[in-house]
Amino acid sequence: MRKPCCDKQGTNKGAWSKQEDQKLIDYIRKYGEGCWRTLPKDAGLLRCGKSCRLRWINYLRPDLKRGNFAEDEEDLIIKLHALLGNRWSLIAGRLPGRTDNEVKNYWNSHLRRKLINQGIDPNNHKIIRHTSLHHQYPSQNYQVPAATTLSHLHRSSNHKPQKGEEPNYKPAATNCNMIINTVDDDAGQAIISEEAASSVEEAAPCSSCPLLPDLNLDLMICTPSHLLGQKSKPNDNEVAATKDHHQRQVVEAAAAGGLQALVHMIKIGLC
DNA sequence: AATTCCACCAACCGCACCCGG
DNA sequence: CCCGGGTGCGGTTGGTGGAAT
């Protein structure tokens, strides 16, 4: 049994008072952000350290941009969500002055509904096949875009998907061709996962769907050089570690340098 | 005017990751 | 390499205020 992050007895919960806010602001101005565990005691707050951190990050930080989201911010969130899934902190990292909590709340309260109203499934950014939408898409030749291969970016999460349930983190981009080529076999042939291979076959051109965000990505992740240099075939653990490494670098690249930087990094083989 | 419903969002909770000993 | 503490993240909850009835 894991110990609680702090002694819950004798700590306040719920909404913060102005006095508590001021104590937290004063303390951080004086000493900076540091050890959240000891901060409440040092600052004279009857709060859990995690609560202090959250209050500071989501509400009190001076560089926060409050107020409504601009249209370009909305677009960016939708595009990044299509690429990254529910990785709110990464998405928020591309939106100066916005927090992950704010982006998450905005997504759940506004953008989800907006996409649904546009006939787009907010979970996977695919067009919802429904007869009532026919008036919106009159073309008989309309094709539902294929599922993404970016689902490799899916990582373990707190939410344990039930049988048959789509994992929550599954990145949702539908108009993005991406082959993740993690390991070469003995003959030097690329092994492409079944999932990636099938989606390559199914991949539909971006132009097939005018409503989806056009990520215009055509990505190839190659075997990392340190594995190419190996004489023997890597074992399962190494393969898993390499995959995980890829996933992290791709996601971190998106967060740090934007989509263009991500595409560039992948193309030049940095990850 | 009173009550119910609903949307929004701040805050909490639990888990996973990171890192130092 | 292992373990445990600290931190960050994402899902969920619950309080609040405005709209609808």
Side-chain angles (χ1 to χ4, degrees), chain A residues 22-40:
Chain A
Q22 201 52 53
K23 278 185 182 177
L24 184 55
I25 292 169
D26 289 345
Y27 183 86
I28 291 178
R29 272 191 191 148
K30 202 168 177 183
Y31 301 104
E33 293 177 46
C35 179
W36 293 110
R37 193 182 175 84
T38 56
L39 185 148

Side-chain angles (χ1 to χ4, degrees), chain A residues 113-168:
Chain A
R113 203 172 309 132
K114 186 178 173 182
L115 290 184
I116 289 168
N117 287 340
Q118 290 178 350
I120 298 169
D121 185 340
N123 294 319
N124 55 21
H125 294 246
K126 292 180 195 170
I127 296 293
I128 299 165
R129 281 204 216 224
H130 195 278
T131 50
S132 66
L133 294 173
H134 281 177
H135 68 281
Q136 277 184 283
Y137 309 102
S139 168
Q140 297 289 321
N141 295 326
Y142 173 72
Q143 279 184 294
V144 175
T148 177
T149 58
L150 279 170
S151 54
H152 280 83
L153 297 179
H154 172 262
R155 63 164 209 181
S156 63
S157 91
N158 299 337
H159 175 70
K160 307 289 185 299
Q162 303 299 307
K163 270 191 176 178
E165 183 189 355
E166 293 268 327
N168 249 344

Side-chain angles (χ1 to χ4, degrees), chain A residues 89-110:
Chain A
S89 63
L90 291 177
I91 294 171
R94 301 303 309 151
L95 294 156
R98 302 296 188 183
T99 69
D100 54 353
N101 207 33
E102 203 177 4
V103 171
K104 178 175 59 183
N105 283 333
Y106 192 70
W107 173 266
N108 287 327
S109 59
H110 291 87

